[in-house]
Amino acid sequence: MDNFYAPGKNHLFVPGPVNIPDQVIRAMNRNNEDYRSPAIPAMTKTLLEDVKKIFKTTTGTPFLIPTTGTGAWESALTNTLSPGDRTVSFLIGQFSLLWIDQQQRLNFNVDVVESEWGQGAKLDVLESKIASDTAHTIKAICIVHNETATGVTNNLAKVRQILDSYRHPALLIVDGVSSICALDFRMDEWGVDVAITGSQKALSLPTGIGIVVASPKAIEASKTAKSLRVFFDWKDYLKFYQLGTYWPYTPSIHLLYGLRAALDLIFEEGLENVIARHNRLGTATRLAVEAWGLKNCTQKEEWHSDTVTAVVVPSYIDSSEIVRRAWKRYNLSLGLGLNKVAGKVFRIGHLGNLNELQLLGCLAGVEMILQDVGYPVKLGSGVAAASAYFKNTIPLIPSRI
Amino acid sequence: MDNFYAPGKNHLFVPGPVNIPDQVIRAMNRNNEDYRSPAIPAMTKTLLEDVKKIFKTTTGTPFLIPTTGTGAWESALTNTLSPGDRTVSFLIGQFSLLWIDQQQRLNFNVDVVESEWGQGAKLDVLESKIASDTAHTIKAICIVHNETATGVTNNLAKVRQILDSYRHPALLIVDGVSSICALDFRMDEWGVDVAITGSQKALSLPTGIGIVVASPKAIEASKTAKSLRVFFDWKDYLKFYQLGTYWPYTPSIHLLYGLRAALDLIFEEGLENVIARHNRLGTATRLAVEAWGLKNCTQKEEWHSDTVTAVVVPSYIDSSEIVRRAWKRYNLSLGLGLNKVAGKVFRIGHLGNLNELQLLGCLAGVEMILQDVGYPVKLGSGVAAASAYFKNTIPLIPSRI
Amino acid sequence: MDNFYAPGKNHLFVPGPVNIPDQVIRAMNRNNEDYRSPAIPAMTKTLLEDVKKIFKTTTGTPFLIPTTGTGAWESALTNTLSPGDRTVSFLIGQFSLLWIDQQQRLNFNVDVVESEWGQGAKLDVLESKIASDTAHTIKAICIVHNETATGVTNNLAKVRQILDSYRHPALLIVDGVSSICALDFRMDEWGVDVAITGSQKALSLPTGIGIVVASPKAIEASKTAKSLRVFFDWKDYLKFYQLGTYWPYTPSIHLLYGLRAALDLIFEEGLENVIARHNRLGTATRLAVEAWGLKNCTQKEEWHSDTVTAVVVPSYIDSSEIVRRAWKRYNLSLGLGLNKVAGKVFRIGHLGNLNELQLLGCLAGVEMILQDVGYPVKLGSGVAAASAYFKNTIPLIPSRI
Amino acid sequence: MDNFYAPGKNHLFVPGPVNIPDQVIRAMNRNNEDYRSPAIPAMTKTLLEDVKKIFKTTTGTPFLIPTTGTGAWESALTNTLSPGDRTVSFLIGQFSLLWIDQQQRLNFNVDVVESEWGQGAKLDVLESKIASDTAHTIKAICIVHNETATGVTNNLAKVRQILDSYRHPALLIVDGVSSICALDFRMDEWGVDVAITGSQKALSLPTGIGIVVASPKAIEASKTAKSLRVFFDWKDYLKFYQLGTYWPYTPSIHLLYGLRAALDLIFEEGLENVIARHNRLGTATRLAVEAWGLKNCTQKEEWHSDTVTAVVVPSYIDSSEIVRRAWKRYNLSLGLGLNKVAGKVFRIGHLGNLNELQLLGCLAGVEMILQDVGYPVKLGSGVAAASAYFKNTIPLIPSRI
């Protein structure tokens, strides 16, 4: 039942699904349960409260939908918008592209603002659109916080500032799939109206829960939004929240117990420490890339992502070959370049329940593979750069002091 | 992390989510994996082939959608029908009710054929509608194979016969959530166009995969169906099937390994043996109910369900109290009566990976609870009736002969 | 990797190894760890403290030896006695027989007091030996608290009373393998000097820890005992206890985490409730046996065991055939008759993490098997007797009230 | 239940207990079973056959004893020797010291041949003893194949050659605890009479099985050996082997299933590939140590161990501090220096189910820690040396080609 066996642990460095903590694997190692017994609602109640903490919201309403990030997108859009509504959406990589495709297929009038892949969302263009939209035809700004295909993080505080300075009422809908619980994300402070993530990303669970959190304004919008939705309709959830049974249809018992354990670990480490750890891992990865003499796909420091690094390879190398060799020879899983950057970049995911020595093992592997495919990297150079940085920044493990 | 601890195993007799075999729990006890490595597509290929076997189809196309049964319904409908399309749908209990509600919210023109709860779909009414629909305004017949709320199994062969005798081209869309892989179901032979089930039912997995299988005719219909869908769109799957990467978005690695293990066990037992086992469990349960002097909610033998039995309690008893006491005193999980039969029936799910002695333990528990709530049942009477039947019908376990 | 597959849960009713709670299975589902890190000693410290509670001792010293019950016996004997020492030992069944064999092979001078199998230890004979042993040639009384082969529980309080009334200094060494943590056992109150159990019995863990608890008098005796021992020598443990590292050689990380979880569950249920539950299960089993018209191997009520019942079958039936059929047809594991009672009894273990409905399922199975092998039992009769008793005695599950 | 939480995977580099493959963890994730059912003997039969393969013996008899390596030593000795028997034993580190201590406590007449720690067994001294022992007073040569405390591998072929050249009949008893299944070991070819290992070493299981394999000559010796033994007596096993029930007392069901899975993985990888992988890991570690400018505790290349490397630190550093910091800051578990080399060496275990990138992560960690404690190592230097070697030697993973 396990094909392609290789000795030792698999080194999982794709930007999702990510490594699951052993404690969470244990928590999910169980039989099914009746989700209508008092036990599941009692646990659900704590989950809904605690999920809000990782979104940094006190006023939002969370929905734990049995779906993926793609479904979470759809839930965010169809509950708040009506067909024909104008959205401003930023095309900066494969995942924002797919989201835009979804928006178009859902019959929204998508005003696409495109950037070169490797650049962030063009917020100056947003500003001019907002400035000129005195009629408030723009109903929503749809933006990925972190574009997983290129490793670009957008500045959400700035988006909020633009909207506020023009007192524009557009909803701010954020794809936080590869950011929330890993990057600094502040739903309430930044006035985000809908934010989503997926269980298999920074929460370090299996795929299967699309987490959608809606601001009071988004909840209000959902009452009049005319987009067709049934499975993704918040209304059904809200009805069952009121009943105290919480689930309009069957949840995954396993993912609920897994989420409980995942949140417990995050709170034990401390959310700010989790974010700081991701910053360490991201910074160290970038230092390694620099030491290798390679380019980061992300063109400016302000957009650097702490959850995924897309590394540009020289034109004489096919980056897919790097990913293939990593899996075939080193039991290392790296991310492929997608679409426009296929063959041109490979991606190192440094996201989720991961520590520094794991990353250093990965970097050492990448160095060997780079040599394998003909790039003249100095072995140990990236590891040296990364560990020099780690050495000065890794704290003692609090529980072990 | 486990609230409400009680000693010993929980006796899980709700009609879903059901008991997961230990082998499947083990198979899912793992870290995440890169779903873009060669391993996951290789496994997916075998899953798609093998899933067809439990639907008894060679021509169907299966979709393993990261969703629940509710999402699977939506996928079945939106891929094959256009807004305004006329469907004939049978309201015979809570789950057919919910499906009809979904059909209406999806803007189909639903021709509802209602039965008293406890009765099957009125196929004579269907026949007259089909007979008179010479203009073929009816685009689909939507029918639950087994109504989980009342324990009623409909005669699908008969539905096909009606359609055929009038050469009516309506699609036959079947909710097999609590039937497929437990009851006799023959997709190709019965000309079913779309059939769905959920992982947490007879397949005995956690919740999280909505399995939808489409006939060639349904696939053809999907090319022109105008219902809006993105997440549930078959088109994206078909594109990735062709690419050989299989997944338009992230699947649950865990459920794929779980499904592989679940199918292996089903084939090891033999699908016909699985169905025969469910028939034994269902028959024995009905004999026990009879021995207790209680009524089966299902009014005629032809509708008897081999996956769930809804037991009618005397009017002076609140059936919810039975369910409550089962959980509080005996660590037994029974199904509540829903909606119209709330308080009037309790349900015994005998579905999924379950054996005879497990059921007898449950029946013994129900007897004590019935006494607890004031019904004058003779202890041991239901167990005696059920085991008298089992004694003559349980085969030796093939692997242990 | 799982031969002999059968659907549903295996019904495990041998008197060891017993059913492991899901929580404990989860706790053991992990990688190895360095047992010299601070984590394992910290956990070990709590284990040693808490293990004392289930032996009801405050003055005893526990040893968690990586071995089985047989090894625990050897540790108890070789640490306290010298070759040639006279022991009084009671032969009342297969396990006391094996222990006596061990004592003889270890060169003790064993004074065997034999009973018919099905009877308890002859304490009147003990009394006369003690009374006449004014020279104190008897160094130890070796007695099984509960003989697992026949389901006979001996009266330890009485043994202590005999020793005290003659002020006899013999050590009291007790095999509590199938009693401790299930039957009423009071190490300090009854002046037991060495008591042992195994992890796979009432503690409901896998096999692998032999638990030995020594009174101060036994520890004192160990300083002069001349029996050869190395692996089983308490001295090495005591040295490492003092160092605070606790382990003279590598423990099983898994069993330590498992033991932690097992103890937590026992304390959550409450040790007295655990003992009461075993009494309920034992009483109900005996009532069923009576209802079937069969004889309990245990000849008098005072010896009835609450952890295992050996059921005598009519002479025309081979009890092994019952055990064989249980496994082959009902996925039920019963205990064989051993040695003198081979073919004559089968055993129902009702020990460890087990609840009432599980037992009723087992009893229903036994009824069918009895009919299978030609014994004219009335189906449901044993279940009725047991559940009539349960109905009046099972408390609400405290956590679920 | 998990104290001292740290994010990410623990990096386990002690020379035992070692990393358990996920497949084995899964195989052990189960309830107990009746070990007297036909299933366990059937599995045991295959285990006994397959265990012989990793010892490279066709004539040996294996015993899977529920104990640790210490118990396995005792079993090897007491079954083959009588009190007063002369053994030649080599004191070259902590584990050989402990074994000698055991031999002395078991009343053998131990002729200790001591080496400086870091050197191998003095085989020239052995030769002279054998040469002069024409009376054959030496009954056994007891030698550790690999001394885990210093990382020294002894030349067993040479021992056999010495015995053969003098036609000396002494038994050759080998502690293969940290060698068998990782280093080249050939029981039959080298005429080893008793060889032992423990489940938590190269087999990559939890602690709990002491594996002892006896040559026909050793089995013959056991018939007359007068050392007292009961729990460890081979006789009881042999009796149950003949009966086909295999177990004189309760085995750990979990470890049996785990062993089955572990052996399957070893055979899938190929025993020679497993050994080659350990050679790669050992060589790379030594190259890193050299690059760091540190000394290997092992003084000559001929003794270099491929399963553990003891690294000598400069005298101004306390090696325990390195181990402490590894755990506190990097979630890395290293081995302490023991006894004579306490504070002077730390140990890197590279043993069991481990791959190259895992080791590189460890080495990168060690480099940071060395700087932490004031040793002027160049970051990346050891990793560079190790990966330069790996790059030229790691094969493609066979299953993934």
Side-chain angles (χ1 to χ4, degrees), chain A residues 164-280:
Chain A
D164 282 359
S165 58
Y166 297 91
R167 301 183 182 235
H168 196 289
L171 292 166
L172 176 52
I173 304 182
V174 174
D175 166 346
V177 167
S178 58
S179 77
I180 289 167
C181 202
L183 306 186
D184 183 23
F185 178 81
R186 311 177 188 194
M187 183 156 180
D188 283 2
E189 186 179 330
W190 295 342
V192 174
D193 289 301
V194 192
I196 67 153
T197 190
S199 52
Q200 81 278 19
K201 299 285 184 168
L203 278 164
S204 301
L205 287 164
T207 308
I209 309 183
I211 305 181
V212 178
V213 184
S215 72
K217 187 170 149 194
I219 293 287
E220 205 50 39
S222 75
K223 295 175 183 163
T224 54
K226 295 198 164 44
S227 291
L228 209 61
R229 73 262 183 200
V230 180
F231 181 75
F232 290 120
D233 202 336
W234 298 346
K235 187 168 72 246
D236 301 287
Y237 283 86
L238 292 171
K239 181 177 143 198
F240 282 83
Y241 287 3
Q242 289 239 299
L243 293 173
T245 53
Y246 288 103
W247 296 104
Y249 31 76
T250 322
S252 164
I253 300 301
H254 294 73
L255 288 173
L256 298 185
Y257 278 103
L259 180 56
R260 184 64 270 157
L263 290 168
D264 287 346
L265 293 181
I266 287 161
F267 299 145
E268 179 165 352
E269 186 177 357
L271 181 54
E272 298 312 316
N273 292 334
V274 171
I275 292 168
R277 177 167 52 78
H278 281 87
N279 181 248
R280 274 201 306 281

Side-chain angles (χ1 to χ4, degrees), chain C residues 346-383:
Chain C
F346 67 93
R347 291 175 298 149
I348 300 172
H350 28 79
L351 171 59
N353 196 268
L354 197 69
N355 60 33
E356 293 81 4
L357 296 201
Q358 286 176 280
L359 181 66
L360 292 174
C362 166
L363 297 177
V366 170
E367 293 177 354
M368 290 188 281
I369 300 161
L370 287 169
Q371 280 205 354
D372 277 356
V373 297
Y375 179 75
V377 74
K378 183 158 168 290
L379 294 178
S381 58
V383 169

Side-chain angles (χ1 to χ4, degrees), chain C residues 171-358:
Chain C
L171 293 166
L172 176 52
I173 303 181
V174 174
D175 167 347
V177 167
S178 58
S179 78
I180 288 166
C181 202
L183 306 185
D184 183 23
F185 178 81
R186 313 176 188 194
M187 183 157 182
D188 282 2
E189 186 178 330
W190 294 343
V192 174
D193 289 301
V194 192
I196 68 153
T197 189
S199 51
Q200 81 277 20
K201 296 286 182 169
L203 277 164
S204 302
L205 286 164
T207 309
I209 308 183
I211 304 181
V212 179
V213 185
S215 73
K217 186 169 150 195
I219 293 287
E220 205 51 38
S222 76
K223 294 176 183 165
T224 53
K226 294 199 165 42
S227 290
L228 209 59
R229 75 262 183 197
V230 181
F231 181 76
F232 290 120
D233 201 336
W234 297 345
K235 186 168 72 247
D236 301 287
Y237 282 87
L238 292 171
K239 181 177 141 200
F240 282 83
Y241 287 3
Q242 288 238 299
L243 292 172
T245 53
Y246 288 104
W247 296 103
Y249 31 75
T250 321
S252 165
I253 300 299
H254 294 72
L255 288 173
L256 297 185
Y257 278 102
L259 180 54
R260 182 65 271 159
L263 290 168
D264 287 345
L265 292 182
I266 288 161
F267 298 145
E268 180 165 351
E269 186 176 357
L271 181 54
E272 297 313 315
N273 291 334
V274 171
I275 292 167
R277 177 166 52 79
H278 280 89
N279 180 250
R280 275 201 305 281
L281 295 168
T283 306
T285 305
R286 290 187 289 274
L287 289 167
V289 171
E290 200 180 306
W292 298 332
L294 289 174
K295 272 200 347 188
N296 193 321
C297 178
T298 316
Q299 296 180 7
K300 283 192 193 164
E301 197 178 329
E302 58 175 296
W303 298 317
H304 277 161
S305 165
D306 283 341
T307 58
V308 57
T309 299
V311 184
V312 181
V313 298
S315 59
Y316 59 89
I317 291 172
D318 174 6
S319 67
S320 314
E321 185 57 24
I322 290 172
V323 175
R324 210 173 296 128
R325 292 198 184 203
W327 193 70
K328 278 196 178 178
R329 197 167 173 206
Y330 300 98
N331 203 4
L332 168 63
S333 297
L334 297 171
L336 286 162
L338 298 173
N339 201 332
K340 279 199 184 177
V341 290
K344 299 181 182 167
V345 311
F346 67 93
R347 291 175 298 149
I348 300 172
H350 28 79
L351 171 59
N353 196 268
L354 197 69
N355 60 33
E356 293 81 4
L357 296 201
Q358 286 176 280

Side-chain angles (χ1 to χ4, degrees), chain B residues 141-342:
Chain B
I141 314 301
C142 297
I143 186 165
V144 298
H145 188 195
N146 186 75
E147 169 58 61
T148 319
T150 56
V152 162
T153 304
N154 288 311
N155 186 341
L156 297 181
K158 177 78 186 160
V159 175
R160 168 48 54 203
Q161 190 193 307
I162 292 168
L163 287 171
D164 282 357
S165 61
Y166 297 92
R167 302 183 182 236
H168 196 288
L171 293 167
L172 176 52
I173 303 181
V174 173
D175 167 346
V177 168
S178 59
S179 77
I180 289 167
C181 204
L183 306 185
D184 184 22
F185 178 82
R186 311 176 187 193
M187 181 156 184
D188 283 2
E189 188 179 330
W190 295 342
V192 174
D193 289 302
V194 192
I196 68 151
T197 190
S199 51
Q200 81 278 19
K201 297 286 182 164
L203 278 164
S204 302
L205 287 163
T207 309
I209 308 185
I211 304 181
V212 179
V213 185
S215 73
K217 187 171 150 193
I219 292 287
E220 205 50 40
S222 75
K223 294 176 183 165
T224 53
K226 295 199 165 39
S227 290
L228 208 59
R229 71 265 184 196
V230 180
F231 181 75
F232 290 120
D233 201 336
W234 297 347
K235 187 168 71 247
D236 301 288
Y237 283 86
L238 292 171
K239 180 176 142 199
F240 281 83
Y241 286 4
Q242 287 238 302
L243 293 173
T245 52
Y246 288 102
W247 296 103
Y249 31 75
T250 321
S252 164
I253 300 300
H254 293 72
L255 289 173
L256 297 185
Y257 277 103
L259 180 56
R260 184 64 270 158
L263 290 168
D264 287 346
L265 293 181
I266 287 161
F267 299 144
E268 181 165 351
E269 185 176 358
L271 180 54
E272 298 313 315
N273 291 333
V274 171
I275 293 167
R277 177 165 52 78
H278 280 88
N279 180 249
R280 276 201 305 282
L281 295 169
T283 306
T285 305
R286 291 187 288 272
L287 289 167
V289 172
E290 201 181 304
W292 297 333
L294 290 173
K295 270 199 348 188
N296 194 321
C297 178
T298 316
Q299 297 180 6
K300 284 193 194 163
E301 197 178 330
E302 57 175 298
W303 297 318
H304 277 160
S305 165
D306 282 342
T307 58
V308 56
T309 299
V311 184
V312 181
V313 298
S315 59
Y316 59 88
I317 291 172
D318 174 6
S319 67
S320 314
E321 185 57 24
I322 289 173
V323 175
R324 210 172 296 129
R325 292 200 184 201
W327 193 70
K328 277 196 178 176
R329 195 165 175 206
Y330 300 99
N331 203 3
L332 168 62
S333 297
L334 297 170
L336 286 162
L338 299 173
N339 199 333
K340 281 202 184 175
V341 292

